[in-house]
Amino acid sequence: MLLLNGTGIGDIAVGRALILDRRDDEISVRNLSQEEVEQEIGRFTQAVARARQRLESMRDELPENAPAELAAFLDAHVLMLEDPLLIDQTAGTIRRERINAEAALHRQEVRLKEVFENINDDYLRSKKNDIGQVVERVQSELSTNSSQLLALDDDLNDRIIVVNDLTPADTVHFRSKHMAGFITNLGGPISHTAILARSLRLPAVVGLHGASRLIRDNDIVVVDGASGTVVVAPDERILEQYERRQERARRHALGLESLRDVPSASEDGVRVSLMANVELPEDVAATINANADGVGLYRTEFMFMNREAPDEEEQYAAYCDVATRVRGPVTIRTLDLGADKQVDGGRADANTAVNPALGLRAVRLCLSNPGLFIPQLRAMLRASVHGDVRIMIPMLSSLNELEQVLELVREVKNSLSRECIAFKPDVPIGGMIEVPAAAIAADLFARKLDFLSLGTNDLIQYTLAIDRVDDEVNYLYDPMHPAVLRLIRHTIEAGENNNIPVSMCGEMAGDPAYTRLLLGLGLREFSMDPATLLAVKREVLRTRVTPVTDTARESLYDSDSARLRSLLNGPTVH
Ligand code: PEP
Ligand code: MG
């Protein structure tokens, strides 16, 4: 039995491991259709380019005193990556034999090694190892491009996937193939993959360095999402303990069910709106089951992953579906693609953006691509006549950007009017406050918008300068940092002063540990994964807002977050 620790997400899963970082002897052959061939050659070419780029930067960054042979060695590997015998021949094999890049490259490697083996010269024969190393580099680039994973067609039959990293698109794909949970070497708890895993009820442990090396295919593993522990090859006694815990969790969830129809108000009568975050159509049922007061965040980008972009009609149908089924407002967010949310789930383009989290993402991407943005705005506006639809803009950072969006919305409304297509002229338009600049200037945004929503996942990432997908800096991710709390309070105040509602839809809103603090900071609208809604409601019901308000306001000037936690998390605060 082996115990490993990483960062946990969700509940418990037990299953057989399926390792997806394949080594040479496990390279599988996948047959391609004629249409897939050119795409596969493109994937191979990009992997080669990435491998070359890495070698070149290693060479450029060699210390002054490094031996000259080292640079020559790296140069020789760069040259090999340009050699037609390796590159063109592999591309030829993909085309001719219609097989995946990994298998074609492996075949070419075997051929070349044979040639070198038969050369009657010790020096040239030793080059065989260099081929192995260069090929290994390209294979590893290919394995980090998840289109390989996306092509996996088999039913996963409740297996636990163990992989270097998983993108949101992979997560959705594997869930549809019935994976029971996953373990990754990389990744953090607020990454979009983690958020999706929660919403898909997929237990996971991320940021477990060496997982794909330490766990073997078919090992029985327990994924304990609550503690972040992975138990490899558990004995009977441990398995029984986990079964008992799963049973207790089921009973606990059933206990919360009784709160479903209880109006959500604090013990001292302050009404609180509890809404749901929706990523996938399946979440609508969970939203209805939890009796949520509406949808506070509909992440539309997941509709665009692993497929061709949906057109206006398809989007319109999807938005109408949610708007008509859910009671209360449905806040549809315009596309937030980019950074860790790529449509193809891969990282093929990752090298083109120096820092994708600070790059062309969300509203920036939409404004630069009206062909993507306008059909979505049209679909949202059209859906507004079928329910209480609100439009929400992510990642606002400048007022000029907001002006551009509002101007575009006006133009879209004009053209719908000209075409005699119905829409609600006063559909509320709100903005996400998730960039510190927008939080600091929240009053200016509040004057031009109908509501604000705090996106704490990004707000914390950008305020504390920690990449939300980088497990190495996870430990710095602190929602109770006074700087974060001040930005939250400042934004709520801007809403109060301008008479517009402020909600929160980041993960912080769905964690009952923060409910009292947020109530004390003046938050009255929470939006979260529907699975956590009743636990948050329980916290709301047993909180008296007046006393927590004093404690929470003190927190803005207190650097001792542990003290604050214990003050707020007593059974009830009076
Ligand atoms: C956030 O940043 O808090 C948020 C809700 O948006 P996303 O997690 O999709 O970036
Ligand atoms: Mg965000």
Side-chain angles (χ1 to χ4, degrees):
M1 192 164 82
L2 176 66
L3 285 181
L4 303 169
N5 277 301
T7 305
I9 293 158
D11 304 324
I12 297 165
V14 182
R16 270 183 316 119
L18 176 65
I19 316 289
L20 282 185
D21 288 318
R22 296 177 191 284
R23 299 274 79 96
D24 283 5
D25 55 347
E26 292 169 325
I27 286 171
S28 56
V29 180
R30 183 165 59 84
N31 294 317
L32 306 174
S33 64
Q34 189 56 49
E35 297 77 60
E36 287 174 314
V37 166
E38 286 314 314
Q39 202 184 349
E40 187 70 0
I41 291 175
R43 190 168 79 86
F44 171 63
T45 313
Q46 283 177 355
V48 171
R50 286 198 299 273
R52 202 172 60 211
Q53 217 169 44
R54 272 184 224 279
L55 280 170
E56 283 168 349
S57 48
M58 273 162 73
R59 183 198 54 202
D60 295 343
E61 284 160 20
L62 281 177
E64 299 267 50
N65 54 358
E69 305 86 82
L70 205 51
F73 170 83
L74 293 171
D75 275 333
H77 281 200
V78 171
L79 278 178
M80 277 187 187
L81 285 173
E82 290 164 4
D83 194 331
L85 272 178
L86 185 63
I87 308 306
D88 296 359
Q89 295 286 353
T90 301
T93 306
I94 298 174
R95 187 171 284 120
R96 217 175 30 256
E97 300 184 28
R98 286 214 230 139
I99 54 171
N100 55 321
E102 291 83 350
L105 179 61
H106 182 58
R107 283 188 194 172
Q108 189 57 18
E109 177 189 12
V110 172
R111 282 184 207 125
L112 284 176
K113 279 183 171 169
E114 264 169 25
V115 173
F116 276 92
E117 192 66 66
N118 293 326
I119 291 177
N120 202 3
D121 176 311
D122 281 349
Y123 172 74
L124 284 179
R125 221 176 18 247
S126 72
K127 288 284 147 205
K128 199 178 85 179
N129 295 339
D130 293 52
I131 293 170
Q133 286 166 9
V134 168
V135 166
E136 166 101 42
R137 247 173 220 294
V138 180
Q139 289 287 16
S140 100
E141 291 295 343
L142 282 167
S143 75
T144 57
N145 180 340
S146 55
S147 40
Q148 173 206 12
L149 307 183
L150 290 170
L152 225 141
D153 273 336
D154 309 337
D155 192 300
L156 294 168
N157 281 328
D158 293 329
R159 304 282 297 259
I160 308 277
I161 299 256
V162 184
V163 66
N164 192 39
D165 199 6
L166 208 58
T167 65
D170 294 334
T171 313
V172 176
H173 176 76
F174 287 142
R175 182 52 166 165
S176 71
K177 306 270 170 230
H178 309 117
M179 89 167 142
F182 63 89
I183 303 167
T184 58
N185 297 333
L186 307 177
I190 313 292
S191 67
H192 286 98
T193 299
I195 292 172
L196 254 187
R198 278 186 209 105
S199 130
L200 295 167
R201 316 277 166 271
L202 271 173
V205 171
V206 300
L208 203 168
H209 291 259
S212 58
R213 212 169 11 86
L214 296 165
I215 304 171
R216 286 162 311 171
D217 243 352
N218 286 320
D219 274 346
I220 299 285
V221 284
V222 176
V223 175
D224 182 348
S227 67
T229 305
V230 169
V231 190
V232 185
D235 58 31
E236 274 302 312
R237 197 176 47 87
I238 297 285
L239 275 177
E240 276 167 21
Q241 272 176 19
Y242 274 103
E243 270 163 25
R244 279 199 295 275
R245 269 187 51 192
Q246 280 177 306
E247 186 47 39
R248 269 203 305 277
R250 268 193 291 273
R251 279 205 303 270
H252 177 71
L254 279 177
L256 287 175
E257 285 286 303
S258 62
L259 302 180
R260 189 185 174 275
D261 298 320
V262 176
S264 55
S266 69
E267 203 185 312
D268 50 354
V270 177
R271 173 85 180 101
V272 178
S273 167
L274 299 181
M275 295 189 281
N277 290 355
V278 166
E279 275 87 50
L280 301 164
E282 300 85 283
D283 297 331
V284 176
T287 302
I288 297 166
N289 281 343
N291 198 11
D293 293 313
V295 172
L297 166 64
Y298 178 177
R299 287 184 167 100
T300 55
E301 51 277 6
F302 290 106
M303 207 193 313
F304 285 67
M305 288 181 181
N306 301 334
R307 48 160 300 175
E308 252 176 49
D311 63 8
E312 178 185 324
E313 286 311 314
E314 189 178 345
Q315 292 186 59
Y316 168 64
Y319 304 153
C320 285
D321 180 54
V322 180
T324 49
R325 283 167 64 204
V326 169
R327 79 175 170 87
V330 172
T331 315
I332 312 179
R333 182 172 74 178
T334 59
L335 275 175
D336 183 2
L337 283 169
D340 64 331
K341 286 182 283 193
Q342 303 289 334
V343 277
D344 63 356
R347 287 175 195 72
D349 298 326
N351 292 336
T352 56
V354 179
N355 185 339
L358 301 182
L360 201 61
R361 182 190 153 186
V363 68
R364 304 169 180 183
L365 182 77
C366 285
L367 283 172
S368 73
N369 191 342
L372 195 65
F373 203 16
I374 290 174
Q376 179 167 50
L377 290 175
R378 284 176 60 96
M380 288 176 174
L381 283 163
R382 288 172 57 197
S384 67
V385 289
H386 299 289
D388 186 359
V389 168
R390 301 172 179 182
I391 297 177
M392 181 158 79
I393 317 296
M395 278 282 288
L396 285 168
S397 59
S398 86
L399 286 144
N400 180 280
E401 210 171 37
L402 173 58
E403 283 301 345
Q404 287 182 56
V405 174
L406 296 177
E407 179 53 33
L408 203 60
V409 172
R410 276 190 290 272
E411 282 173 22
V412 170
K413 283 182 181 174
N414 286 341
S415 56
L416 287 173
S417 299
R418 279 196 302 275
E419 294 165 49
C420 299
I421 298 177
F423 63 92
K424 209 190 265 166
D426 54 353
V427 55
I429 300 193
M432 286 195 68
I433 302 295
E434 48 184 348
V435 174
I440 293 165
D443 52 328
L444 302 179
F445 286 91
R447 281 181 217 155
K448 295 176 187 293
L449 287 163
D450 300 309
F451 63 93
L452 302 177
S453 184
L454 281 152
T456 46
N457 306 337
D458 280 314
L459 187 61
I460 299 169
Q461 136 163 287
Y462 296 128
T463 304
L464 304 182
I466 36 175
D467 194 327
R468 61 195 269 190
V469 297
D470 185 346
D471 57 289
E472 294 196 343
V473 287
N474 268 347
Y475 71 102
L476 289 169
Y477 199 92
D478 179 13
M480 297 196 44
H481 190 297
V484 173
L485 300 183
R486 285 181 196 193
L487 291 178
I488 292 174
R489 176 59 205 148
H490 186 69
T491 304
I492 294 172
E493 214 163 40
E496 288 166 355
N497 293 339
N498 287 278
N499 277 323
I500 61 165
V502 176
S503 65
M504 179 182 288
C505 59
E507 294 298 283
M508 191 177 180
D511 186 338
Y514 301 121
T515 308
R516 287 181 179 180
L517 174 61
L518 294 172
L519 287 170
L521 290 175
L523 190 74
R524 298 293 178 263
E525 284 189 13
F526 296 62
S527 188
M528 66 205 85
D529 174 359
T532 61
L533 197 141
L534 295 179
V536 170
K537 188 188 268 190
R538 191 180 56 176
E539 234 19 65
V540 170
L541 294 171
R542 60 189 193 188
T543 300
R544 295 183 62 227
V545 170
T546 314
V548 288
T549 302
D550 296 336
T551 316
R553 306 288 158 102
E554 278 169 32
S555 71
L556 304 176
Y557 306 97
D558 197 341
S559 57
D560 186 354
S561 53
R563 193 183 75 87
L564 182 63
R565 232 177 256 276
S566 67
L567 270 178
L568 287 161
N569 288 347
T572 184
V573 179
H574 291 286

